[in-house]
Amino acid sequence: MSAPEAKRRMLLVDDEQKIVDGLQRRLRPQRATWEVATATSGSAALAALEAAPFDVIVTDMRMPEMDGASLLAVVRARHPATMRLVLSGQTDAEAALRAVPVAHQFLSKPTDPVVLLESLNRVALSRDAVADARAVAAVGAVHALPTPPAILDELTQLVNRDGASASAIAAVVERDPAIFLKLLQLVNSAFFGHRREMYRVVDAVSYLGVGLLKNLIDSASILNPGPVAAKRFDALASGQRSRAVAEAARHVGGERGEIYFAAGMLHDVGKLIMASEMPDVYDEVAQRAEASGRSFEEEEERRGGCRHAHVGAYLLDLWGMPQPLVEALAIPPGGRLPSLVAQADEILRRS
Amino acid sequence: MHKVLERQLRHLGIPLDSEAPISAEKWRGLLARVEAAYTNADQDRYTLERSIALSSAEMKDLHQKLASERDKLRALIGCLGDGLLVTDQNQRVELVNSEAERLLGWRSDELLGRSLTEVLLREPDSGPAESLRERIARAEPCRGDDARFATAGGASIPVAFAFNPIVHERGVQGATMIFRDISDRLAAERARNESEARLRSIFDSAALGIFRLDPRGAILDANPAAVRMFGLTREALSGRTLADLFDARRAVAVAPRADGASAALERQYAHPDGTAMSLHLTETWVRDPSGAIQFGTTIVEDVTATRELEGSLRHAQKLESVGRLASGIAHEINTPIQFVNDNVHFLQGSFETVTSFVDALRSLVRERAPGLAAEADAADLLADWDYLGVEIPKSITQTLDGLKRVETIVQSMKAFAHNDRGVQGLTDLNAALANTLTVAIHEMKDVAVATESFGDIPEVLCSRGDLSQVFLTLVVNAVHAIEDVVKDTGRLGRITVSTRRDGDDVVISIADTGAGIPEAVRGHIFEPFFTTKEVGRGTGQGLAHARSVVVQKHGGGLTFETEPGVGTTFYIRLPIAGARQP
């Protein structure tokens, strides 16, 4: 892991030399903070990764021999901490679906590399805030959060029914932070062609289409209903609480109600990652909190090491969620919780 | 006395010289008997007595003849296919043939001596039964077609009968009753009636229009569905041929076909209420064995909705494939845009660096080596540096502008071609309209300029993909309308696209400065396949599809105002909350 003052490293992969040349030239002015390397094939890219770690890999999708999805699958396994981005000219749904489980972000050509670099700087800052190599690798490797099987079953039945309405589907998705996040991630990626930020599941379903959602659900590697390893985590209860916070946050949000609702739904994804990917840490903190009567957040702080709010924020940034949503979950200086969540908690307590 | 007898005999027609000589004693006997007969005043008796006057040889001959006649009659009666009962003058049965025995189930000795009215005739189910019974009792000839005769065992059979009294000079001598069992005929009639009723009810209640035609194709009868479908009364239809009913311009004679088989046709029909209909006709001609046409039947199905749907579907599929193609091309263009963009940006930044480097060099020369200033200026001139220093950044800026434009067009095309599969979502219609205008930029070139007058409208729950197609259809129609007016004049028309909120609806208007829609076609423009454009310019599907999208799919309205010479404005009205769920 590179220290903040060290140069960040990016690997550009495209079988068309002109593309990587152009990008590299364009990023030349950033050479004080970023080192940009290029490769014109998957195997060359893997060789470069073996030679030295990279913070980011940006790859084309359609390439001879090893395509972008296959390349990123290998990178996920071998270098989980490396951010994996797709930059593709083609955006047909099938290719996109193959990239979904292995890429963190989906960009479409043409993209402004300077803007991209700015957003990568933000992601790198979130990553550095986690300050826990194991957690960073865990977030990097994860491609889906666990969904309670009951909700996944319900959703499967719904999308397989003829004429399922977007609002009926949204009503189910809005009970599960995991699928909620996945849909917002897809609909807000350039890959799927939308230029406006979207926060409502009903819009996401309308936009992506029920067919694509059905493909997502059918493809076992994308939405993972696997059981949560942590013993002290109840996925259904966590989902219900997220929903309650989301409802309360909507009131707090006023004009930004939909953004706040989404932020409320996602405020605990860090816990979800820890519970499924670092169950020992999660159980330990949860047990201490039970024993001491203190909050989970306070026990995390006392224990030292990673904190779920940072883990969650890193995931949202890494997955390219819109900035207003990420900012809504920012933790104020000296606080333990995003102010939005604190306010929502207050409302829930009163009611 | 003799003379009297002679006169009497002559009066009775008895030849006196038939067997001469007659002895006095014979005469006397004869006379006495004639006398007695005469006083009875019964002509038959005269005859009878006359026969006595015949010789015994003649008598014998006569008897034989009679016996032979009787035998023949018996044989005839016996093999009659109908039942026969003969009564005597007292109305009692005195003769029964075997068919009557078979039909009635009685033995002949059981029937003999019975009365026809009491024993055999039972009340018919309906009809003038009593009068028949009375007429038989009065021995008047009569016929019955629906009577019932009692049979052995208390049952009865339906019969048709003929009752005829046997009348002599001396009065009624008896009667004959000839009858036959009509159960089979009644059953057949009942079956025929039922079948007819069934056909009639099909004819009357069928959803399909049914015409019965005479051999020349003229309408004999039309069922209620046909009456409804054609919007004409049964009377107005009758006598006309189907060919008469269809739009004269598109009429194809609906006439008997040479092979006599059934034929299927599809025709456009202009309903009196103004709707255009697509009707599918199946005609069948029935021929007699000689091949001559006896009658025809034409079954008419209203396939308007089906055709509209099919047309709309085909149109949608075509749009979809064009969209896919466009989106593929957009992606192909995106790759070169990526590196051209990167390189031009690189050149822009690099040239700035080069410029400051050259400037630094120049001031260095001026300050540190004034002796070289003249050479340096000459080198600048040679390189045309002053010009390049201004024009290179300008050319780069313009190139980037151009790239931006290409990018916008491609983005619009991609967004336009995005297939939402008709699923409805909240849509920024102003953005969708702006996209549509970008996509239509080429169509408009040298024909019209577009003006956007977008109001502050909320997002509308609708299918963006479907509505984008509708917008494009209307914009392209507007361009075509203007093109017809400004062609070769060098003038430009104007297309004004505006949006506004109206209560719970959003209203989009697309106005052109074209020639307006001629009155004659105003009622038809939303009809499928209706087009006034030349081949290759319009399929006649655009507006029909647009109406189906706006009205059926979105519960909105699609209307227009037009003024000849001024232009046409189409209005799309969409409920903000989307179509109400049925």
Side-chain angles (χ1 to χ4, degrees):
Chain A
M1 196 56 41
S2 45
E5 57 273 12
K7 272 194 193 180
R8 293 186 175 123
R9 286 163 48 80
M10 176 191 281
L11 179 59
L12 299 171
V13 190
D14 198 307
D15 62 320
E16 180 145 10
Q17 183 82 44
K18 293 188 187 80
I19 290 282
V20 288
D21 282 356
L23 288 167
Q24 199 179 28
R25 286 184 195 120
R26 183 77 202 284
L27 293 173
R28 175 79 181 161
Q30 316 288 328
R31 61 186 179 280
T33 49
W34 283 89
E35 195 181 319
V36 178
T38 64
T40 52
S41 73
S43 48
L46 289 176
L49 282 160
E50 291 303 325
F54 281 87
D55 296 271
V56 184
I57 177 171
V58 180
T59 178
D60 186 24
M61 267 302 276
R62 214 187 271 182
M63 294 188 292
E65 290 168 40
M66 183 187 283
D67 72 357
S70 316
L71 168 63
L72 292 186
V74 177
V75 176
R76 183 178 74 177
R78 294 190 194 161
H79 314 279
T82 300
M83 305 173 203
R84 304 181 298 273
L85 276 67
V86 164
L87 173 60
S88 176
Q90 124 218 73
T91 58
D92 58 288
E94 263 171 54
L97 277 176
R98 294 209 311 117
V100 166
V102 291
H104 294 130
Q105 290 186 30
F106 322 93
L107 310 171
S108 66
K109 292 171 184 167
T111 207
D112 185 339
V114 175
V115 175
L116 169 63
L117 219 57
E118 282 167 16
S119 92
L120 288 176
N121 279 329
R122 271 198 312 270
V123 182
L125 285 177
S126 306
R127 181 197 62 193
D128 296 344
V130 173
D132 181 321
R134 185 183 164 199
V136 168
V139 171
V142 83
H143 64 277
L145 300 175
T147 292
I151 291 182
L152 197 68
D153 285 350
E154 196 177 336
L155 201 58
T156 308
Q157 283 173 17
L158 195 56
V159 296
N160 282 306
R161 197 179 303 155
D162 274 344
S165 74
S167 53
I169 292 169
V172 177
V173 173
E174 282 173 356
R175 283 161 32 211
D176 176 50
I179 297 178
F180 187 94
L181 172 60
K182 200 75 208 175
L183 287 186
L184 288 199
Q185 180 200 14
L186 294 185
V187 82
N188 283 295
S189 68
F191 221 72
F192 291 92
H194 200 257
R195 280 181 290 173
R196 187 172 53 91
E197 288 161 358
M198 256 190 208
Y199 299 96
R200 283 159 38 109
V201 176
V202 63
D203 296 344
V205 173
S206 299
Y207 193 80
L208 297 172
V210 177
L212 187 121
L213 187 60
K214 189 165 151 10
N215 285 341
L216 275 179
I217 290 171
D218 289 346
S219 157
S221 58
I222 298 178
L223 297 180
N224 173 16
V228 177
K231 295 182 189 68
R232 298 176 180 276
F233 186 81
D234 179 344
L236 268 175
S238 166
Q240 280 163 9
R241 176 174 150 73
S242 294
R243 174 60 184 271
V245 169
E247 299 281 4
R250 197 195 323 252
H251 287 293
V252 178
E255 273 186 10
R256 297 160 64 81
E258 291 307 331
I259 301 179
Y260 276 42
F261 179 87
M265 278 300 291
L266 300 176
H267 80 279
D268 260 353
V269 291
K271 269 191 193 166
L272 205 49
I273 292 175
M274 287 175 68
S276 65
E277 308 299 322
M278 307 164 72
D280 51 329
V281 177
Y282 182 89
D283 280 339
E284 187 190 330
V285 176
Q287 190 183 5
R288 287 191 194 184
E290 268 171 42
S292 68
R294 282 185 285 267
S295 72
F296 189 91
E297 289 75 14
E298 209 176 333
E299 284 300 340
E300 264 186 331
E301 212 174 295
R302 285 164 160 262
R303 179 183 171 273
C306 75
R307 288 160 59 181
H308 78 85
H310 290 143
V311 171
Y314 174 45
L315 182 76
L316 299 186
D317 254 336
L318 181 61
W319 282 15
M321 299 304 284
Q323 275 309 295
L325 194 153
V326 176
E327 281 160 15
L329 285 174
I331 300 169
R336 289 198 189 95
L337 281 172
S339 53
L340 154 78
V341 176
Q343 287 177 60
D345 271 343
E346 186 57 35
I347 292 176
L348 291 175
R349 241 196 313 281
R350 272 202 308 256
S351 62
Chain B
M1 202 61 200
H2 218 124
K3 289 260 190 301
V4 175
L5 182 60
E6 248 182 65
R7 201 174 61 238
Q8 291 293 345
L9 288 173
R10 224 173 261 124
H11 177 73
L12 293 170
I14 297 173
L16 293 176
D17 55 350
S18 57
E19 197 183 328
I22 298 173
S23 64
E25 198 180 81
K26 257 189 180 175
W27 269 114
R28 255 192 312 271
L30 186 61
L31 184 67
R33 287 158 75 180
V34 167
E35 195 79 34
Y38 188 70
T39 50
N40 278 342
D42 189 326
Q43 289 183 350
D44 281 344
R45 288 300 167 92
Y46 283 115
T47 309
L48 200 67
E49 294 313 324
R50 175 183 168 262
S51 75
I52 293 166
L54 301 178
S55 72
S56 58
E58 273 177 330
M59 288 290 280
K60 198 178 169 195
D61 189 37
L62 200 60
H63 272 296
Q64 273 171 353
K65 270 186 187 164
L66 269 175
S68 148
E69 289 296 322
R70 196 186 56 223
D71 289 347
K72 278 186 198 159
L73 207 59
R74 284 237 171 95
L76 187 69
I77 288 168
C79 71
L80 257 183
D82 293 336
L84 175 68
L85 301 174
V86 181
T87 54
D88 60 17
Q89 59 261 60
N90 297 321
Q91 300 266 33
R92 301 283 159 192
V93 174
E94 64 175 4
L95 195 148
V96 179
N97 78 340
S98 56
E99 181 65 8
E101 282 179 305
R102 193 184 70 75
L103 289 176
L104 300 175
W106 303 96
R107 282 197 321 277
S108 97
D109 57 321
E110 288 172 319
L111 284 166
L112 290 176
R114 294 184 183 236
S115 152
L116 277 184
T117 53
E118 282 167 28
V119 179
L120 295 181
L121 191 65
R122 194 171 267 189
E123 294 291 329
D125 293 342
S126 61
E130 204 46 45
S131 76
L132 281 178
R133 197 183 251 285
E134 284 166 5
R135 288 174 78 169
I136 289 170
R138 289 197 300 271
E140 288 173 24
C142 62
R143 291 170 171 280
D145 208 20
D146 52 358
R148 296 192 79 86
F149 280 8
T151 57
S156 68
I157 52 165
V159 292
F161 70 87
F163 174 79
N164 282 300
I166 305 168
V167 183
H168 255 246
E169 291 95 329
R170 279 176 294 166
V172 175
Q173 295 298 302
T176 58
M177 170 68 88
I178 297 178
F179 63 98
R180 74 173 52 148
D181 179 359
I182 56 168
S183 322
D184 290 350
R185 201 186 80 199
L186 287 181
E189 263 172 20
R190 202 161 43 240
R192 198 167 60 239
N193 288 341
E194 276 170 17
S195 146
E196 256 175 28
R198 223 174 7 249
L199 285 176
R200 190 79 219 176
S201 87
I202 291 171
F203 185 76
D204 285 343
S205 62
L208 299 173
I210 304 173
F211 291 105
R212 289 200 309 114
L213 308 173
D214 76 6
R216 288 168 299 109
I219 296 169
L220 293 172
D221 196 4
N223 73 340
V227 167
R228 269 196 309 279
M229 217 176 267
F230 282 81
L232 299 169
T233 61
R234 200 176 285 246
E235 292 69 35
L237 285 167
S238 132
R240 297 174 73 177
T241 66
L242 285 172
D244 286 347
L245 296 172
F246 292 102
D247 189 338
R249 282 172 298 156
R250 305 183 197 180
V252 173
V254 180
R257 274 163 45 126
D259 60 2
S262 65
L265 312 147
E266 199 164 314
R267 295 277 167 268
Q268 302 298 312
Y269 177 67
H271 194 276
D273 73 6
T275 28
M277 302 171 75
S278 297
L279 300 181
H280 184 271
L281 294 87
T282 311
E283 51 181 51
T284 314
W285 298 96
V286 174
R287 291 162 182 277
D288 65 17
S290 76
I293 289 173
Q294 288 183 301
F295 63 88
T297 307
T298 295
I299 293 177
V300 188
E301 186 184 358
D302 180 359
V303 292
T304 312
T306 319
R307 292 294 168 265
E308 275 181 32
L309 196 69
E310 283 171 357
S312 197
L313 210 63
R314 251 200 313 279
H315 189 65
Q317 279 167 349
K318 202 161 68 195
L319 291 176
E320 199 186 322
S321 66
V322 169
R324 237 191 335 265
L325 217 62
S327 122
I329 291 168
H331 297 319
E332 282 311 309
I333 298 172
N334 279 336
T335 299
I337 288 180
Q338 176 74 55
F339 64 77
V340 172
N341 227 332
D342 288 339
N343 284 329
V344 176
H345 272 113
F346 171 71
L347 287 174
Q348 189 179 38
S350 305
F351 189 73
E352 280 167 24
T353 315
V354 170
T355 307
S356 41
F357 176 66
V358 169
D359 289 348
L361 271 185
R362 279 168 137 188
S363 40
L364 205 67
V365 168
R366 225 169 275 133
E367 285 164 23
R368 303 279 173 87
L372 288 176
E375 280 89 345
D377 285 349
D380 276 358
L381 267 176
L382 204 64
D384 205 8
W385 181 252
D386 288 341
Y387 179 81
L388 295 185
V390 176
E391 292 305 318
I392 287 180
K394 237 164 100 179
S395 81
I396 288 177
T397 312
Q398 285 176 5
T399 305
L400 286 174
D401 278 355
L403 277 170
K404 193 86 229 154
R405 218 145 85 192
V406 175
E407 213 180 308
T408 310
I409 293 169
V410 171
Q411 286 287 357
S412 296
M413 239 163 86
K414 226 169 85 179
F416 185 84
H418 174 82
N419 184 4
D420 56 16
R421 297 160 200 87
V423 178
Q424 310 207 341
L426 284 182
T427 304
D428 177 355
L429 288 177
N430 286 346
L433 281 162
N435 252 332
T436 304
L437 287 173
T438 308
V439 171
I441 237 166
H442 176 73
E443 289 282 328
M444 285 189 272
K445 195 157 265 175
D446 301 328
V447 177
V449 289
T451 312
E452 295 174 0
S453 161
F454 293 158
D456 186 17
I457 54 168
E459 293 191 325
V460 173
L461 185 61
C462 60
S463 156
R464 180 194 173 107
D466 286 347
L467 283 172
S468 292
Q469 296 291 359
V470 171
F471 301 155
L472 186 65
T473 299
L474 294 178
V475 168
V476 169
N477 278 352
V479 172
H480 288 168
I482 292 170
E483 203 167 19
D484 293 340
V485 175
V486 302
K487 202 166 11 189
D488 305 325
T489 64
R491 286 183 290 123
L492 284 183
R494 175 171 298 280
I495 296 172
T496 311
V497 180
S498 14
T499 55
R500 66 185 168 88
R501 184 180 179 150
D502 181 17
D504 293 334
D505 298 337
V506 157
V507 179
I508 299 146
S509 61
I510 296 175
D512 67 56
T513 55
I517 302 170
E519 189 145 10
V521 302
R522 278 176 205 167
H524 301 289
I525 63 165
F526 293 119
E527 288 171 12
F529 308 109
F530 180 87
T531 182
T532 56
K533 297 177 182 175
E534 63 268 31
V535 174
R537 205 172 164 206
T539 60
Q541 280 293 287
L543 282 175
H545 180 68
R547 187 187 55 176
S548 127
V549 168
V550 174
V551 178
Q552 266 113 61
K553 220 159 170 184
H554 289 89
L558 179 58
T559 55
F560 65 93
E561 283 170 5
T562 186
E563 194 175 331
V566 176
T568 305
T569 306
F570 277 88
Y571 297 95
I572 302 168
R573 176 175 286 273
L574 295 170
I576 293 165
R580 270 191 295 278
Q581 296 298 320

